[in-house]
């Protein structure tokens, strides 16, 4: 029996929340780049950026790209301000070339269930990594036993991740 999951509207709010978290992580004062980032290319400086910061950012981006973006119309991150990356968004709502608002994809129940289950479990891991990496042994192990302060804005956004 499939578990209950929230409607697509609530999952869309998660897409927005993750996009905000990713933007804050990329703006962290200890995140450095080999060249100025742009919409096509983000090249972190792995020598200067703390490992905990870039690994956590990559983990959250993986969840975002693999499990949240499939819930949106194709190309939404490049055309929708709320879901785009820091250097990428241009429009407040996703519209096609003619300015017509594009509908969300219709996912089958099994597809939606797959994304929901992974997002739910990954939210737990993100909270551990961001909020408890100085005290929780599991979070510490994920960050090579190097606690990292992700900053107040990121911690605030992560605390909001809940299907409530």
């Amino acid at each position: 029996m499939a578990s209950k999951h929230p409607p697509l509207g609530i999952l869309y709010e998660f897409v927005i929340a993750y996009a905000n978290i990713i933007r804050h992580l990329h703006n962290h004062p200890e995140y450095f780049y080999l060249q100025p980032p742009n919409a096509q290319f983000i090249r972190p400086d792995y020598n200067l950026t703390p490992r905990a910061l870039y690994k956590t950012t990559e983990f959250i981006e993986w969840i975002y790209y693999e499990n949240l973006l499939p819930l949106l119309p194709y190309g939404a991150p490049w055309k929708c301000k709320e879901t785009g990356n820091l250097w990428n968004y241009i429009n407040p709502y996703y519209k096609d070339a003619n300015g017509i608002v594009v509908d969300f994809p219709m996912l089958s129940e099994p597809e939606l269930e797959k994304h929901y289950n992974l997002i739910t479990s990954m939210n737990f891991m993100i909270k551990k990594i961001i909020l408890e990496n100085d005290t929780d042994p599991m979070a510490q192990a994920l960050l090579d036993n190097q606690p990292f302060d992700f900053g107040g804005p990121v911690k605030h956004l992560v605390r909001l991740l809940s299907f409530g």
Side-chain angles (χ1 to χ4, degrees):
M1 180 176 169
S3 64
K4 284 289 211 180
H5 57 75
L8 282 176
I10 292 174
L11 292 175
Y12 177 68
E13 294 299 320
F14 263 75
V15 174
I16 294 169
Y18 270 72
N20 282 328
I21 291 168
I22 291 167
R23 284 198 273 294
H24 278 82
L25 289 168
H26 277 290
N27 270 326
H28 192 283
E30 292 185 55
Y31 208 113
F32 295 94
Y33 302 92
L34 292 173
Q35 67 186 49
N38 59 56
Q40 287 79 35
F41 197 70
I42 301 169
R43 191 170 175 199
D45 185 331
Y46 295 117
N47 292 319
L48 294 177
T49 304
R51 180 177 166 83
L53 179 57
Y54 73 76
K55 285 303 215 181
T56 301
T57 303
E58 289 174 355
F59 175 62
I60 294 172
E61 286 175 328
W62 172 78
I63 298 165
Y64 179 75
Y65 288 110
E66 296 296 322
N67 294 283
L68 288 165
L69 289 189
L71 303 173
L72 300 180
Y74 179 78
W78 296 277
K79 300 195 177 194
C80 182
K81 183 175 184 173
E82 292 179 319
T83 62
N85 77 34
L86 209 60
W87 307 277
N88 211 21
Y89 56 80
I90 52 175
N91 300 318
Y93 305 100
Y94 181 62
K95 297 178 183 179
D96 68 12
N98 298 317
I100 299 169
V101 175
V102 178
D103 289 330
F104 288 88
M106 296 303 294
L107 298 178
S108 68
E109 193 68 26
E111 288 176 296
L112 189 57
E113 190 72 23
K114 176 190 92 169
H115 292 294
Y116 169 74
N117 288 336
L118 189 71
I119 292 164
T120 301
S121 61
M122 293 300 106
N123 284 345
F124 172 79
M125 294 301 299
I126 289 169
K127 287 179 178 183
K128 286 273 185 205
I129 292 168
I130 302 283
L131 302 175
E132 301 175 20
N133 73 72
D134 57 341
T135 59
D136 184 84
M138 180 175 63
Q140 289 172 348
L142 291 169
L143 298 180
D144 297 329
N145 295 316
Q146 298 177 0
F148 186 79
D149 183 1
F150 289 90
V154 172
K155 288 178 180 179
H156 171 73
L157 290 168
V158 168
R159 283 185 188 101
L160 299 177
L161 289 179
S162 172
F163 284 125

